[in-house]
Coordinates of all heavy atoms in Angstrom, one line a residue:
G216 N -90.5 -69.3 124.6 CA -90.3 -70.8 124.4 C -88.9 -71.0 123.9 O -88.2 -70.1 123.5
N217 N -88.5 -72.3 124.0 CA -87.2 -72.6 123.6 C -87.1 -73.6 122.5 O -86.1 -74.1 122.0 CB -86.3 -73.2 124.8 CG -87.0 -74.4 125.5 OD1 -87.8 -75.0 124.9 ND2 -86.6 -74.6 126.7
G218 N -88.3 -74.1 122.0 CA -88.3 -75.0 120.9 C -88.0 -76.4 121.2 O -87.6 -77.2 120.4
L219 N -88.2 -76.8 122.5 CA -87.9 -78.2 122.9 C -89.2 -79.0 123.2 O -89.2 -80.2 123.2 CB -87.0 -78.2 124.1 CG -85.6 -77.8 123.8 CD1 -84.8 -77.7 125.1 CD2 -84.9 -78.7 122.9
G220 N -90.3 -78.3 123.4 CA -91.5 -79.0 123.9 C -92.0 -80.1 122.9 O -92.3 -81.3 123.3
L221 N -92.1 -79.8 121.6 CA -92.5 -80.8 120.7 C -91.5 -81.9 120.4 O -91.8 -83.0 120.0 CB -93.0 -80.2 119.4 CG -94.3 -79.4 119.5 CD1 -94.6 -78.7 118.2 CD2 -95.4 -80.2 120.0
T222 N -90.2 -81.6 120.6 CA -89.1 -82.6 120.5 C -89.3 -83.6 121.6 O -89.2 -84.8 121.4 CB -87.7 -81.9 120.6 OG1 -87.6 -80.9 119.6 CG2 -86.6 -82.9 120.5
I223 N -89.6 -83.1 122.8 CA -89.9 -84.0 124.0 C -91.1 -84.9 123.7 O -91.2 -86.1 124.0 CB -90.1 -83.2 125.3 CG1 -88.7 -82.6 125.6 CG2 -90.6 -84.1 126.4 CD1 -88.8 -81.5 126.7
V224 N -92.2 -84.3 123.1 CA -93.4 -85.0 122.8 C -93.1 -86.1 121.8 O -93.4 -87.3 122.0 CB -94.4 -84.1 122.1 CG1 -95.6 -84.8 121.5 CG2 -95.0 -83.1 123.2
K225 N -92.3 -85.9 120.8 CA -92.0 -86.9 119.7 C -91.1 -88.0 120.3 O -91.3 -89.2 120.0 CB -91.3 -86.2 118.5 CG -90.9 -87.1 117.4 CD -92.2 -87.6 116.7 CE -91.8 -88.3 115.4 NZ -92.1 -89.7 115.5
T226 N -90.1 -87.6 121.1 CA -89.2 -88.6 121.7 C -90.1 -89.6 122.6 O -89.9 -90.8 122.6 CB -88.1 -87.9 122.5 OG1 -87.4 -87.1 121.7 CG2 -87.2 -89.0 123.2
S227 N -90.9 -89.0 123.4 CA -91.8 -89.8 124.3 C -92.7 -90.7 123.5 O -92.9 -91.9 123.9 CB -92.6 -88.9 125.3 OG -91.7 -88.1 126.1
L228 N -93.3 -90.2 122.5 CA -94.2 -91.0 121.6 C -93.4 -92.1 121.0 O -94.0 -93.3 120.9 CB -94.8 -90.1 120.5 CG -96.0 -89.3 121.0 CD1 -96.4 -88.3 119.9 CD2 -97.2 -90.3 121.2
D229 N -92.2 -91.9 120.5 CA -91.5 -92.9 119.9 C -91.2 -94.1 120.9 O -91.3 -95.2 120.5 CB -90.1 -92.4 119.3 CG -90.3 -91.5 118.1 OD1 -91.4 -91.5 117.5 OD2 -89.4 -90.8 117.7
L230 N -90.9 -93.7 122.1 CA -90.6 -94.7 123.2 C -91.8 -95.5 123.5 O -91.7 -96.7 123.8 CB -90.1 -94.0 124.4 CG -88.6 -93.5 124.4 CD1 -88.3 -92.7 125.6 CD2 -87.7 -94.7 124.3
M231 N -93.0 -94.9 123.4 CA -94.3 -95.6 123.7 C -94.9 -96.3 122.5 O -95.9 -96.9 122.6 CB -95.3 -94.6 124.3 CG -94.8 -94.1 125.6 SD -95.9 -92.8 126.3 CE -97.2 -93.9 126.9
G232 N -94.3 -96.1 121.3 CA -94.8 -96.8 120.1 C -96.0 -96.0 119.5 O -96.8 -96.6 118.8
G233 N -96.1 -94.7 119.8 CA -97.2 -94.0 119.3 C -96.9 -93.1 118.2 O -95.8 -93.1 117.7
N234 N -97.9 -92.3 117.7 CA -97.6 -91.3 116.6 C -98.5 -90.1 116.9 O -99.4 -90.1 117.7 CB -97.9 -92.0 115.3 CG -99.3 -92.4 115.1 OD1 -100.2 -91.6 115.2 ND2 -99.6 -93.7 114.9
I235 N -98.1 -89.1 116.1 CA -98.8 -87.8 116.2 C -99.1 -87.2 114.8 O -98.2 -87.4 113.9 CB -98.0 -86.8 117.1 CG1 -98.7 -85.5 117.3 CG2 -96.6 -86.5 116.4 CD1 -98.1 -84.6 118.4
T236 N -100.2 -86.6 114.6 CA -100.5 -85.9 113.4 C -101.0 -84.5 113.8 O -101.4 -84.2 114.9 CB -101.7 -86.6 112.6 OG1 -102.8 -86.7 113.4 CG2 -101.3 -88.0 112.1
I237 N -100.8 -83.6 112.8 CA -101.1 -82.2 113.0 C -101.9 -81.7 111.9 O -101.6 -81.9 110.7 CB -99.8 -81.3 113.1 CG1 -98.8 -81.9 114.2 CG2 -100.1 -79.9 113.3 CD1 -97.4 -81.5 114.0
D238 N -103.0 -81.0 112.2 CA -103.8 -80.3 111.2 C -103.9 -78.9 111.6 O -104.4 -78.6 112.7 CB -105.2 -81.0 111.1 CG -106.1 -80.3 110.1 OD1 -105.5 -79.7 109.1 OD2 -107.3 -80.3 110.3
S239 N -103.4 -78.0 110.8 CA -103.3 -76.6 111.2 C -103.7 -75.7 110.0 O -103.2 -75.9 108.9 CB -101.9 -76.2 111.7 OG -101.9 -74.9 112.2
Q240 N -104.6 -74.8 110.3 CA -105.0 -73.8 109.4 C -104.5 -72.4 109.9 O -104.8 -72.0 111.0 CB -106.6 -73.7 109.3 CG -107.2 -75.0 108.9 CD -106.7 -75.6 107.6 OE1 -106.6 -74.9 106.6 NE2 -106.4 -76.9 107.6
V241 N -103.7 -71.7 109.1 CA -103.1 -70.5 109.5 C -104.2 -69.5 109.9 O -105.1 -69.3 109.1 CB -102.2 -69.9 108.4 CG1 -101.6 -68.5 108.8 CG2 -101.0 -70.9 108.2
G242 N -104.1 -68.9 111.1 CA -105.0 -67.9 111.6 C -106.3 -68.5 112.1 O -107.3 -67.8 112.3
D243 N -106.3 -69.9 112.3 CA -107.6 -70.5 112.7 C -107.3 -71.6 113.7 O -106.8 -71.3 114.8 CB -108.3 -71.1 111.5 CG -109.8 -71.4 111.7 OD1 -110.3 -71.1 112.8 OD2 -110.4 -72.0 110.8
I244 N -107.6 -72.8 113.4 CA -107.6 -73.9 114.4 C -106.4 -74.8 114.1 O -106.1 -75.2 112.9 CB -108.9 -74.7 114.3 CG1 -110.0 -73.8 114.8 CG2 -108.8 -76.0 115.2 CD1 -111.4 -74.5 114.7

């Protein structure tokens, strides 16, 4: 990977007036 995928996600969301949340448990879901 190059570390750009989530940057693209955030930029696109900002343009559409959306938001994103992340819930992550290390070693799980």
Side-chain angles (χ1 to χ4, degrees):
N217 57 20
L219 289 175
L221 290 178
T222 303
I223 293 168
V224 167
K225 182 71 170 112
T226 301
S227 298
L228 277 169
D229 289 346
L230 286 168
M231 295 177 78
N234 63 59
I235 187 167
T236 57
I237 304 160
D238 181 26
S239 185
Q240 306 301 316
V241 175
D243 196 9
I244 294 174

